[in-house]
Amino acid sequence: MENIEQKLISRINEHATPLRIMHVCGTHERTISKYAIRDIISDDVQLLSGPGCPVCVTPVEDIDFAIELARSGKVITSFGDMMRVPGTTGSLFDARSDGYDIRMVYSIDDAIKIAKDNPTLEIVFFGIGFETTAPSNAAALLRGVPENFSILTSHKLMPPAMEILTRDTNVDGFLAPGHVSTIIGTEKYDQISEKGFPIVVTGFEALDVLLGIAMVQNQLETGRSCVENAYPRCVNVEGNLKAREMLYQVFKKTDSKWRGIGMIENSGLALKKEFDQFDAVNVHADIYKELHEKRASESDNVDGENRLYEECICAEILTARAQPPQCPLFGRRCSPEAPVGPCMVSLEGTCYNWYKYRHNKGI
Amino acid sequence: MCIAIPGKITSILNENTATVDIGGIKREVNLDLIGGADSSLIGKHALVHVGYAISLISDEESEEVLKLLRDVMDLS
């Protein structure tokens, strides 16, 4: 089994026919960019980057709400990636520079500890992430959180977005996200594969990604389209039943807006009624209502985006309708040091990874 | 955001949490999502994401992956 990667690369290239495989996970983009997988496999096999970075698909409205909460004296706690994504009037980091209390945390438990240590302050946790991340927030709420703690929920579910992409994007098959699949299992993708799209649940080492590509290729060669699991060390058919049970004790599915795609039916999570006292939209309803009334009355908002970002094509990048070098800002006015759009902010963003691993190498 | 790191469960701290060794660094990790902390988990490997174990890592996976590789490449 020596040189297994080399054998896989040869297999992919010897069988190469025009093929568009989309991944929907920022960590896959990191692996693909870091190991230059696009450059070592045939140009016929195109690897498309889908909306797999939760930071990138978080709508501007949610960022604006978090900043508005901070301006009204609440403490905002957030994962680091979310801190730099621009909203209408700047990012959470910008708001922190203006003197508002915004703190970076590594888990919801860190945010809960801040709430317990500061009973006179109101703490809001910015809850972003896909099916991988949302169960931890459910577990925390089920264990019990202090009264001065609430969640701004912006969680998204991956299969409904993949479903939309099969209709709106030219794609032949998918590498399904390995860690999302640890929670949801492999059956949730059946409906999509039955429409004729091969799906392979894929891990995150270079070898995993190459295996995923070869397996999608193999399905198409043999006229099959089903869900296969190339990440069995972490993923099984039914997924993590306990995590899903906890998730849906706390959350219910809801329609949700994705940056770059728009509203997708049943693609988000909202807190159930019995958790209203911990739902930032409910707890701080006055601020939420005022912000949305203000947005509705402002004529310079186009579909929720500020004209500052008119030149930014993150929406096209997120749905694989364009690649980063096609953006007029890429590597010029938009870089990881000074990002304009969300895809350049996150370590998982497509633009960030193309810039980091390709831009300065003349690729 | 969905990055998860494998680690080895080395001790149980209470009904919710365990110490997990991630590449030589010891971390407190919540095990609620895999059914809670219990001593039978000591020595097992788990995937850790935002301070929570999200799944156990199968010990039998290598043979499964070899089979997938053979299927796709006809490896001897």
Side-chain angles (χ1 to χ4, degrees):
Chain A
M1 296 297 277
E2 274 179 46
N3 293 322
I4 197 85
E5 288 94 344
Q6 192 52 59
K7 286 183 178 178
L8 269 174
I9 294 162
S10 300
R11 191 265 179 231
I12 291 165
N13 290 341
E14 283 162 16
H15 292 70
T17 54
L19 176 60
R20 291 165 61 87
I21 301 174
M22 179 182 272
H23 70 74
V24 282
C25 180
T27 316
H28 279 152
E29 182 55 43
R30 280 185 80 179
T31 302
I32 290 164
S33 292
K34 184 175 179 180
Y35 296 104
I37 290 175
R38 287 187 180 91
D39 304 308
I40 55 177
I41 63 172
S42 163
D43 288 344
D44 280 339
V45 181
Q46 289 185 54
L47 301 179
L48 309 178
S49 184
C53 153
V55 168
C56 306
V57 298
T58 300
V60 167
E61 295 91 316
D62 291 357
I63 300 165
D64 289 353
F65 182 41
I67 290 170
E68 211 51 48
L69 287 168
R71 286 174 177 161
S72 62
K74 323 301 175 211
V75 179
I76 302 299
T77 55
S78 167
F79 294 131
D81 257 14
M82 202 66 236
M83 301 282 282
R84 300 170 68 221
V85 182
T88 306
T89 58
S91 66
L92 288 167
F93 263 142
D94 294 332
R96 190 163 79 169
S97 301
D98 292 339
Y100 301 110
D101 196 342
I102 295 167
R103 308 183 195 187
M104 197 164 77
V105 294
Y106 293 98
S107 108
I108 188 170
D109 292 1
D110 294 347
I112 292 165
K113 185 175 186 307
I114 293 169
K116 285 177 176 169
D117 292 346
N118 299 276
T120 59
L121 298 176
E122 287 186 85
I123 313 299
V124 180
F125 175 67
F126 198 163
I128 63 155
F130 297 131
E131 293 92 332
T132 324
T133 314
S136 59
N137 297 346
L141 281 172
L142 290 169
R143 274 201 318 278
V145 296
E147 284 181 7
N148 61 329
F149 178 86
S150 63
I151 301 182
L152 193 177
T153 303
S154 191
H155 292 298
K156 305 270 185 277
L157 303 173
M158 187 45 76
M162 289 169 71
E163 173 72 32
I164 290 284
L165 290 160
T166 60
R167 285 183 251 155
D168 298 351
T169 307
N170 178 11
V171 58
D172 299 308
F174 290 95
L175 302 181
H179 292 149
V180 162
S181 305
T182 61
I183 304 296
I184 70 172
T186 62
E187 290 171 328
K188 292 283 186 293
Y189 305 111
D190 284 349
Q191 262 187 306
I192 300 165
S193 70
E194 284 162 9
K195 290 169 66 180
F197 296 92
I199 295 178
V200 178
V201 174
T202 303
F204 300 98
E205 301 298 332
L207 177 64
D208 289 319
V209 172
L210 290 167
L211 177 60
I213 295 165
M215 287 171 70
V216 170
Q217 221 182 12
N218 185 252
Q219 281 197 45
L220 288 160
E221 284 163 11
T222 53
R224 295 176 300 129
S225 65
C226 58
V227 182
E228 290 180 315
N229 182 9
Y231 196 33
R233 62 187 181 272
C234 298
V235 175
N236 56 35
V237 172
E238 64 272 12
N240 184 335
L241 295 171
K242 178 70 184 170
R244 287 214 305 283
E245 178 196 321
M246 293 170 96
L247 180 67
Y248 288 110
Q249 270 181 273
V250 172
F251 292 102
K252 61 183 181 193
K253 288 182 183 177
T254 183
D255 298 349
S256 183
K257 186 178 177 187
W258 293 54
R259 195 169 190 159
I261 300 177
M263 197 63 84
I264 304 178
E265 198 179 338
N266 283 327
S267 69
L269 294 170
L271 285 166
K272 285 183 167 176
K273 199 85 189 139
E274 52 263 48
F275 294 95
D276 264 358
Q277 61 174 317
F278 304 113
D279 186 344
V281 169
N282 181 59
V283 175
H284 306 294
D286 51 342
I287 297 166
Y288 184 80
K289 187 164 173 273
E290 192 180 324
L291 178 72
H292 279 260
E293 283 171 356
K294 188 172 159 220
R295 288 183 70 84
S297 69
E298 282 175 353
S299 58
D300 67 344
N301 278 320
V302 182
D303 190 28
E305 305 296 332
N306 189 286
R307 68 163 66 120
L308 261 177
Y309 311 116
E310 266 179 12
E311 285 181 86
C312 165
I313 63 164
C314 274
E316 283 77 18
I317 304 281
L318 285 166
T319 48
R321 294 194 300 267
Q323 291 187 322
Q326 291 169 264
C327 178
L329 306 178
F330 180 75
R332 297 177 182 90
R333 282 172 47 208
C334 184
S335 67
E337 295 74 32
V340 174
C343 298
M344 188 61 93
V345 172
S346 170
L347 300 179
E348 298 187 350
T350 304
C351 294
Y352 176 93
N353 281 291
W354 279 58
Y355 185 93
K356 182 174 179 182
Y357 294 111
R358 299 171 69 91
H359 183 61
N360 294 326
K361 297 180 175 63
I363 295 171
Chain B
M1 262 306 303
C2 290
I3 286 178
I5 313 286
K8 186 177 183 178
I9 298 168
T10 55
S11 66
I12 301 299
L13 299 172
N14 59 42
E15 61 181 12
N16 305 110
T17 52
T19 305
V20 174
D21 184 322
I22 301 170
I25 296 166
K26 297 266 197 290
R27 291 267 180 215
E28 263 187 47
V29 171
N30 184 296
L31 303 193
D32 284 353
L33 299 176
I34 57 169
D38 129 6
S39 58
S40 67
L41 296 171
I42 292 172
K44 292 193 183 299
H45 288 81
L47 265 185
V48 179
H49 172 70
V50 296
Y52 284 71
I54 56 169
S55 80
L56 289 171
I57 299 173
S58 159
D59 296 331
E60 292 83 42
E61 61 85 22
S62 46
E63 192 48 49
E64 284 183 76
V65 170
L66 288 180
K67 184 184 178 306
L68 291 170
L69 287 164
R70 283 193 198 98
D71 288 350
V72 87
M73 292 194 297
D74 297 326
L75 282 180
S76 51

